[in-house]
Amino acid sequence: MKTLLFIMYLCLTAPSANEKVNGEPEPPQGMVYVPAGDFIMGSTYGDPDERPQHIARTGAFFIDKYEVSNSEFAQFDANFNFPQGREEHPVIVIWEQANAYAKWAGKRLPTEKEWEKAARGTDGRIFPWGNTYDETFVVWDLRHPRGSAIAKPESPYGCFDMAGSVWEWTADWYKPYPGNDVPMKEYGERYKVMRGGSNFNNHSFIRTTHRYYVPPHTTARYPVGFRCVKDID
Amino acid sequence: MFKSILASLFVFLILSFSDSVFAQKVNDFPQKTDPLHIKVDMYDKLIRGNHWNEGTIMQHVIFPPAGLDRPIVGSQADCLDPTSEMLAAYSHKYFVTKDPNARKIANQIFEGILKLEKVTGVPGLVARSFNKTDKPLWHEKVLWYPMEWHWSTSIPGYRWLGDLSADKFTSIFYGVGTFWEFCADEKYKQKAANLLDRFLGRIIDNNFKLTDLDGKMTLWGNFCPDLPHQALNSLEMLMALKVTHRITGKERYNAAYHMLIDRYHYDDHQLRSKIIWPEEWRNKGDDYHAARSLYMLMRLEHDRSLMIKYKMNLNRHWYVWQNHDFSFEDDIWFIMVYQVLSGENVLTDERKQVIKNMWGFERRSKEFKIPTEAGFKIVESEEEGIAAAMVRNYWFGRHFGMIDPAW
């Protein structure tokens, strides 16, 4: 009887198939877990559209460890071509393609909030790894595959290349943060926000708070890729 | 008789409006065996004939039928690099020859840079390039960042390209600074001072950020002490402040220079402008901006402790430059700059021969994929690169006694 009770106890307390021992859900392959809660969003030192710095909140979600690669995207779109040897390079696509891929994969594009939280955690850091910069912390240029930074720094939740490599699409339109009082004619539902910067552009754009805007039907010649998120049931 | 004159006039008009007649105004190319001064003179004529756009010099020109009957930019949408090179070239030329025509041309090029500012409608905001046109040009959509082209609100009928970079920032201080130093008369010295005052003043007002029309920092315009930026950008900003203080005499720029050094240690940060290892990260393009910055900065700095640091930076570059294979048009200029700044005689016979062998561009035909409303059409057309760096190298070398006029 005691044994039976113990087995019942184990069944009730043991982690389920997608749950870790510490209570966190087990992420699907290639993804990491970001818990629900508050974090510091925006900055006081960046562009006017990063202001005001404020406390934002997300639910819990999973997010891809790496940007989606060429070979992964080709599984979704059989007509997608890329140079041989670039299987592991991040894919560069327009927002509409990124969104379609995410749906096909049973995922979705991250909101700006989710992207920023996954990149900087809760402590308001400038970069995914902290507040200092070194060239070895980022994928040097577009000739290199994803995850090839020399120092291989992770974000607080275990994501790679959220600074540098390619820009990354988010789900959101380019709109001012609540309380922002600097008008921009670009705000509205014409442009999607991309994050994370690209090494081809200036280092300061790899800050976790930087926002840039591009129409969803073009990359406008910027190297823009994406990573996906997945809701937790 | 009257009919015959009319017919001739008609033919003349037809030819005049035909793209192929006036597209390539200059078509005489030098031979590789020509003496250096002949090659330079012919490339100079090609540049001023085919690349001249209201004083600015277009880097890469596409001719009709893909282009217009006046220069339009090609895959490199900027004009500030070659414009500043030609401004420097004519400034050195005037210094050497005292030819009033050289000064006149330099003045016209400087006016072109002023127009790059005027066309934006924002004092101190300088465009990468402009085109006089009543409609967007096809290359805007495919050859650069299409969102960065704007209609001018200050000069109707013009479109201009924004998102100015740290590279073009450097071009402005290098070109205008050289013009001020060696060529400009009193009137133009004042115009040059006013331009740099507006341009750099606006950047300082924005906490050392080069901001664009939308109020955001441009994608390559970060010199801000509160934001992480490349070491090269620290060097470029120190140079800009030093040059502008020298030219305007305004204490504001001297104070900013010392603030960035004393409080933010830009003098230490700039030491790492040259990435030496890993070897694949070495970037000759960045070296060009470093070379121009060090050339302008080191001739104006008299503080011994700062000069030691700038010399260290120069030496880090020289470690790599001395072994370059001269495949890049500015390789030989790096050698000349090092000689001017170090005082060492590094012009070996081999390097002198490289100077004598300097060569510019060759025109070539290319197929252009031009977007239309119905898709794309393929148009074969001629395009032409530029030899502005070569012309500048020549007059720079003449100015500093490194090139014999007989070569």
Side-chain angles (χ1 to χ4, degrees):
Chain A
M1 184 60 185
K2 275 184 179 174
T3 306
L4 184 62
L5 280 174
F6 184 65
I7 290 170
M8 284 175 66
Y9 170 78
L10 278 181
C11 288
L12 288 171
T13 56
S16 60
N18 65 347
E19 198 177 351
K20 281 182 177 174
V21 177
N22 63 6
E24 288 183 3
E26 184 68 34
Q29 189 177 9
M31 301 188 90
V32 295
Y33 171 69
V34 180
D38 295 343
F39 74 105
I40 299 169
M41 187 171 188
S43 79
T44 56
Y45 45 75
D47 284 340
D49 61 357
E50 297 170 31
R51 294 176 218 149
Q53 190 176 64
H54 58 284
I55 301 296
R57 185 177 186 81
T58 70
F61 58 94
F62 299 121
I63 187 164
D64 287 340
K65 238 182 194 181
Y66 294 98
E67 292 149 344
V68 173
S69 69
N70 281 323
S71 59
E72 287 169 341
F73 193 84
Q75 290 172 30
F76 155 67
D77 181 355
N79 295 320
F80 178 72
N81 293 316
F82 59 91
Q84 200 175 10
R86 296 216 162 197
E87 289 75 11
E88 274 302 302
H89 285 61
V91 70
I92 294 173
V93 288
I94 64 174
W95 184 90
E96 287 155 355
Q97 289 173 296
N99 193 45
Y101 173 94
K103 281 183 182 167
W104 168 83
K107 302 176 181 177
R108 60 181 173 79
L109 292 177
T111 63
E112 275 199 88
K113 275 184 193 174
E114 289 166 339
W115 192 97
E116 187 166 325
K117 183 174 178 183
R120 76 192 307 202
T122 58
D123 59 7
R125 61 185 59 186
I126 296 175
F127 299 110
W129 53 80
N131 292 328
T132 57
Y133 175 78
D134 187 279
E135 280 88 0
T136 65
F137 294 175
V138 295
V139 177
W140 179 245
D141 61 23
L142 298 177
R143 289 175 299 177
H144 292 83
R146 57 188 186 163
S148 61
I150 290 172
K152 291 187 170 43
E154 295 180 38
S155 77
Y157 300 111
C159 292
F160 291 87
D161 300 342
M162 293 196 86
S165 186
V166 291
W167 297 85
E168 295 182 20
W169 289 113
T170 69
D172 291 342
W173 295 106
Y174 184 55
K175 292 180 175 178
Y177 290 158
N180 180 289
D181 57 0
V182 182
M184 281 184 69
K185 67 179 173 57
E186 290 81 6
Y187 286 145
E189 299 200 347
R190 275 194 300 154
Y191 302 107
K192 290 291 185 180
V193 176
M194 57 183 193
R195 293 294 204 110
S198 167
N199 300 11
F200 182 56
N201 301 121
N202 194 278
H203 291 172
S204 71
F205 297 103
I206 64 175
R207 290 179 298 107
T208 53
T209 54
H210 182 259
R211 313 171 72 200
Y212 208 61
Y213 53 88
V214 169
H217 56 81
T218 175
T219 64
R221 299 181 65 78
Y222 293 104
V224 201
F226 67 102
R227 73 180 73 217
C228 300
V229 295
K230 190 174 173 63
D231 292 314
I232 298 173
D233 297 330
Chain B
M1 178 66 180
F2 183 64
K3 273 187 181 173
S4 148
I5 291 172
L6 266 184
S8 300
L9 185 61
F10 180 71
V11 169
F12 173 76
L13 285 173
I14 291 289
L15 287 173
S16 299
F17 287 103
S18 155
D19 283 334
S20 60
V21 171
F22 284 153
Q24 296 101 314
K25 291 176 182 165
V26 181
N27 295 287
D28 295 330
F29 280 80
Q31 305 284 323
K32 285 201 171 177
T33 51
D34 284 336
L36 178 61
H37 67 274
I38 299 289
K39 288 188 285 187
V40 167
D41 186 51
M42 293 183 79
Y43 274 124
D44 187 343
K45 288 187 172 72
L46 280 157
I47 291 166
R48 285 192 292 117
N50 298 341
H51 294 247
W52 185 271
N53 185 23
E54 301 184 45
T56 65
I57 309 294
M58 293 302 195
Q59 181 156 19
H60 178 210
V61 183
I62 303 169
F63 296 116
L68 304 177
D69 59 351
R70 56 186 177 277
I72 68 166
V73 290
S75 55
Q76 279 284 349
D78 302 300
C79 70
L80 267 166
D81 286 347
T83 301
S84 70
E85 281 159 355
M86 289 301 280
L87 183 56
Y90 270 91
S91 300
H92 291 303
K93 185 176 183 179
Y94 175 74
F95 182 86
V96 171
T97 64
K98 301 299 176 210
D99 175 5
N101 195 46
R103 181 184 246 183
K104 184 179 158 193
I105 292 167
N107 289 347
Q108 289 170 345
I109 297 171
F110 174 74
E111 293 285 352
I113 294 176
L114 280 181
K115 189 157 188 172
L116 285 168
E117 180 200 26
K118 190 179 176 190
V119 76
T120 69
V122 179
L125 176 59
V126 177
R128 281 177 178 266
S129 63
F130 58 70
N131 278 121
K132 186 178 184 186
T133 176
D134 55 3
K135 62 182 178 188
L137 300 173
W138 69 264
H139 71 274
E140 293 180 14
K141 286 186 184 168
V142 293
L143 295 180
W144 192 248
Y145 297 102
M147 289 163 51
E148 306 297 349
W149 282 96
H150 311 279
W151 282 112
S152 174
T153 53
S154 50
I155 313 179
Y158 279 77
R159 288 179 66 75
W160 61 276
L161 181 62
D163 201 27
L164 199 72
S165 64
D167 303 354
K168 313 314 157 195
F169 166 95
T170 304
S171 291
I172 289 172
F173 291 98
Y174 165 68
V176 175
T178 304
F179 173 65
W180 184 92
E181 188 176 0
F182 298 125
C183 180
D185 62 16
E186 285 310 311
K187 178 183 140 196
Y188 273 97
K189 276 186 190 292
Q190 191 55 52
K191 280 187 168 192
N194 292 345
L195 171 64
L196 296 193
D197 193 19
R198 288 191 299 274
F199 180 59
L200 190 55
R202 181 172 178 272
I203 293 168
I204 294 176
D205 289 344
N206 286 304
N207 196 19
F208 299 90
K209 297 173 195 168
L210 184 50
T211 51
D212 215 340
L213 192 65
D214 62 4
K216 288 172 71 66
M217 182 163 62
T218 68
L219 290 180
W220 288 271
N222 177 17
F223 309 93
C224 177
D226 297 325
L227 295 176
H229 57 264
Q230 288 96 327
L232 176 58
N233 290 28
S234 287
L235 172 67
E236 290 167 342
M237 178 50 76
L238 290 179
M239 177 276 288
L241 291 164
K242 198 75 183 170
V243 168
T244 308
H245 177 237
R246 172 76 180 91
I247 289 178
T248 65
K250 290 193 174 181
E251 177 55 24
R252 172 187 202 196
Y253 299 108
N254 188 43
Y257 179 79
H258 287 289
M259 179 193 79
L260 293 181
I261 289 170
D262 297 342
R263 193 184 301 171
Y264 296 102
H265 311 295
Y266 274 38
D267 53 333
D268 292 330
H269 193 223
Q270 62 85 31
L271 283 168
R272 294 167 59 207
S273 305
K274 179 65 186 168
I275 297 173
I276 298 177
W277 309 108
E279 207 165 328
E280 65 180 291
W281 289 9
R282 296 176 185 179
N283 184 330
K284 282 189 185 181
D286 280 352
D287 286 5
Y288 183 51
H289 312 308
R292 292 185 301 173
S293 300
L294 288 167
Y295 164 72
M296 299 301 288
L297 179 59
M298 289 178 72
R299 289 178 309 113
L300 292 174
E301 183 54 72
H302 302 296
D303 181 302
R304 182 165 165 73
S305 63
L306 288 174
M307 273 301 282
I308 288 170
K309 292 182 181 180
Y310 300 148
K311 184 72 194 300
M312 285 171 68
N313 190 339
L314 179 68
N315 288 341
R316 283 171 58 85
H317 282 86
W318 181 247
Y319 176 81
V320 177
W321 292 350
Q322 61 185 319
N323 297 315
H324 274 178
D325 58 5
F326 302 109
S327 58
F328 184 60
E329 60 184 355
D330 288 308
D331 285 334
I332 191 61
W333 193 64
F334 298 157
I335 303 288
M336 291 196 270
V337 165
Y338 182 78
Q339 175 148 323
V340 169
L341 294 179
S342 69
E344 299 170 30
N345 184 1
V346 292
L347 277 186
T348 59
D349 288 344
E350 183 205 2
R351 287 168 180 157
K352 284 178 183 170
Q353 193 57 48
V354 170
I355 292 175
K356 291 177 192 173
N357 292 345
M358 282 197 299
W359 185 247
F361 56 83
E362 282 156 358
R363 193 178 292 164
R364 62 173 187 162
S365 283
K366 185 179 171 185
E367 283 190 343
F368 292 91
K369 196 176 171 186
I370 298 180
T372 66
E373 286 187 5
F376 287 91
K377 65 173 179 179
I378 303 293
V379 175
E380 183 162 337
S381 199
E382 289 189 312
E383 64 172 359
E384 196 170 278
I386 196 155
M390 174 188 175
V391 177
R392 185 276 320 276
N393 291 357
Y394 177 78
W395 288 108
F396 180 89
R398 287 283 305 275
H399 182 156
F400 290 104
M402 290 178 278
I403 291 181
D404 188 325
W407 289 359

